[in-house]
Amino acid sequence: MSSPPLAPPGWSRWLVPPAALSVHLSIGQAYAWSVFKPSLESALHLDGTQSALPFQLAIVMLGLSAAFGGTLVERNGPRWAMAVALVCFSSGFLISALGAETEQYWLIVLGYGFVGGIGLGIGYISPVSTLIKWFPDRPGMATGIAIMGFGGGALIASPWSSQMLSSFGGDNDGIALAFLVHGLSYALFMTLGVLLVRVPRADTPGAGATGPRSLDGVQVSARSAVRTPQFWLLWIVLCTNVTAGIGILEKAAPMITDFFADSSTPVSASAAAGFVALLSAANMAGRIGWSSASDRIGRKNIYRCYLGVGALMYLVIALFGDSAKPLFVLCALVILSFYGGGFATVPAYLKDLFGTYQVGAIHGRLLTAWSTAGVLGPLIVNWIADRQKEAGKHGPALYGLSFGIMIGLLVVGFVANELVRPVHTRHHHVPAQREAADAQRQQPA
């Protein structure tokens, strides 16, 4: 087992968020997957459900690798985790490039979905625990800064991918070259995070100590946390919020095209890619904006907003979304800001309920909700749209039923959030000897 890199005296904690951002901006490319969908469907003769499979599997593997790797990330530190994420995420693109070049779609599913998805999960949780320790005074803001990068990754990747497909071509050769460029470029960028990240010393002013003093108050181990109702209520909250957001995000480019296909001003491919970039900006802004707000108004209140107002926005799109493009875009942007905010706020929500001890491992286990939502959201939207298309429907009619399901899920999440209460005292205290041993292991000589 490797030792986490210890910050030297005088190390600024503000150097840690850029390290996290370099990883999260890279793996955030996943949110630009919809840009590749039309080209893949044309070049490899796929339908919408099939072209969503690499993305779905990537999100499944994100949650599973975060859950099973969370304890290893806590033990080995952020540098180890970022290095593993770099290798897996970049390798996934290279395998996908081979699959596109040889027209073997299963290789794209394997590379982007399975191998790359492992990189997503390990990379996603790699800085969370470290950031909370560096910023105990503002945990929502700190995790929001880093996780903002995951939401903002598509802001870069969407127009970049669209331009590459225009330059290289939308056939299998062009897709393969685009995947290759992605893999190599992200490997270089993620290296910055691997080299820069540090963990705080026990005596670092302004940072959370990683020694025994940081374990005062409510402290729950990952093993105990998954046995509490609070964990599973938050699991439902995260799953429903993610399902509602990812349902739009994964099919964003085709969706806005379908909604206005019969209007006097249909949406072009470049405008659809621009819509994906706007959604990414909202996703990114929500992660820092809403999570910072949660430090002031509380986690439960901010999730009331995510879930309650999110359901209202879905209702407006379902009833009036095709009447005006600005209305459709505005509602989608609000939903995606809540989607991003939910991700950025949940580590701080976990810290409030379970303490800082093993919060990274608890967060990893909670991300299995993302795995479930990564299947549910795209499956609901794509499968229903495909069936409606087979029935001869078009335009907004392709999405009415799926939007109704999303509203119902958000209501379920709202109720689950209302039921969250402080963790029972029988779960609070980790044995003191184990606390001391774990803290000592996190303080390399």
Side-chain angles (χ1 to χ4, degrees):
M1 296 296 181
S2 61
S3 296
L6 189 65
W11 183 268
S12 172
R13 64 178 181 169
W14 291 102
L15 292 174
V16 180
L21 277 172
S22 72
V23 173
H24 275 235
L25 280 170
S26 299
I27 63 177
Q29 183 281 333
Y31 284 140
W33 177 253
S34 66
V35 175
F36 286 101
K37 281 170 66 73
S39 296
L40 284 169
E41 290 169 14
S42 175
L44 301 179
H45 311 292
L46 309 171
D47 62 25
T49 303
Q50 291 171 325
S51 67
L53 185 57
F55 176 82
Q56 287 176 292
L57 181 57
I59 300 301
V60 169
M61 294 310 302
L62 185 159
L64 293 178
S65 61
F68 289 105
T71 302
L72 288 175
V73 171
E74 287 280 294
R75 185 176 303 157
N76 295 345
R79 175 171 290 175
W80 174 88
M82 290 179 179
V84 171
L86 184 159
V87 171
C88 291
F89 188 65
S90 297
S91 297
F93 269 112
L94 300 184
I95 295 170
S96 297
L98 178 62
E101 180 63 30
T102 59
E103 299 186 37
Q104 297 294 315
Y105 186 57
W106 69 271
L107 279 174
I108 298 178
V109 176
L110 173 67
Y112 191 93
F114 185 80
V115 178
I118 294 173
L120 286 178
I122 300 299
Y124 188 86
I125 63 173
S126 61
V128 170
S129 178
T130 301
L131 283 166
I132 288 176
K133 291 171 183 173
W134 275 109
F135 294 88
D137 50 333
R138 287 178 282 180
M141 181 213 69
T143 55
I145 289 174
I147 295 176
M148 172 185 70
F150 193 87
L155 190 62
I156 299 169
S158 180
W160 183 33
S161 300
S162 180
Q163 182 58 49
M164 281 196 287
L165 290 174
S166 297
S167 301
F168 302 153
D171 58 2
N172 61 301
D173 291 334
I175 296 170
L177 187 54
F179 283 157
L180 177 64
V181 172
H182 273 308
L184 297 177
S185 299
Y186 286 133
L188 291 174
F189 194 54
M190 293 171 75
T191 299
L192 295 176
V194 174
L195 298 176
L196 192 60
V197 72
R198 299 288 189 279
V199 296
R201 305 172 66 91
D203 57 351
T204 301
T210 55
R213 285 178 301 169
S214 68
L215 296 173
D216 293 339
V218 176
Q219 299 299 333
V220 183
S221 68
R223 179 177 295 181
S224 295
V226 299
R227 298 172 182 166
T228 65
Q230 288 81 0
F231 177 89
W232 294 105
L233 288 170
L234 280 187
W235 193 98
I236 293 170
V237 166
L238 184 62
C239 184
T240 54
N241 192 54
V242 172
T243 300
I246 213 167
I248 287 181
L249 194 58
E250 189 275 336
K251 201 174 174 65
M255 183 182 291
I256 193 170
T257 302
D258 289 336
F259 251 80
F260 298 98
D262 297 330
S263 70
S264 57
T265 54
V267 177
S268 66
S270 60
F275 175 60
V276 175
L278 278 177
L279 292 181
S280 178
N283 189 353
M284 179 173 64
R287 289 171 188 247
I288 182 61
W290 295 122
S291 62
S292 296
S294 78
D295 287 333
R296 297 189 297 273
I297 69 174
R299 320 302 173 195
K300 178 174 282 192
N301 285 334
I302 204 73
Y303 271 97
R304 286 169 173 152
C305 180
Y306 298 157
L307 299 160
V309 179
L312 180 62
M313 293 296 100
Y314 252 115
L315 181 62
V316 172
I317 293 178
L319 296 178
F320 310 110
D322 61 335
S323 62
K325 289 176 187 172
L327 179 65
F328 178 93
V329 172
L330 177 62
C331 290
L333 291 178
V334 172
I335 291 171
L336 263 295
S337 77
F338 292 158
Y339 169 81
F343 278 121
T345 308
V346 83
Y349 208 160
L350 291 172
K351 180 255 184 187
D352 293 346
L353 288 171
F354 301 111
T356 56
Y357 177 75
Q358 292 195 336
V359 67
I362 298 171
H363 185 224
R365 286 160 171 77
L366 191 75
L367 290 182
T368 54
W370 195 355
S371 294
T372 304
V375 174
L376 283 179
L379 182 62
I380 290 168
V381 174
N382 283 289
W383 188 85
I384 291 177
D386 288 342
R387 300 294 79 77
Q388 299 287 56
K389 189 174 294 185
E390 290 173 1
K393 296 184 179 180
H394 56 87
L398 298 175
Y399 303 99
L401 177 58
S402 59
F403 284 5
I405 293 172
M406 297 302 181
I407 293 170
L409 288 173
L410 286 169
V411 171
V412 170
F414 188 93
V415 173
N417 182 56
E418 292 301 306
L419 295 175
V420 173
R421 297 290 185 271
V423 177
H424 194 279
T425 53
R426 70 174 178 271
H427 299 290
H428 278 195
H429 297 291
V430 179
Q433 290 181 343
R434 192 191 309 169
E435 289 185 4
D438 288 348
Q440 181 64 35
R441 185 165 54 244
Q442 293 174 14
Q443 285 291 299

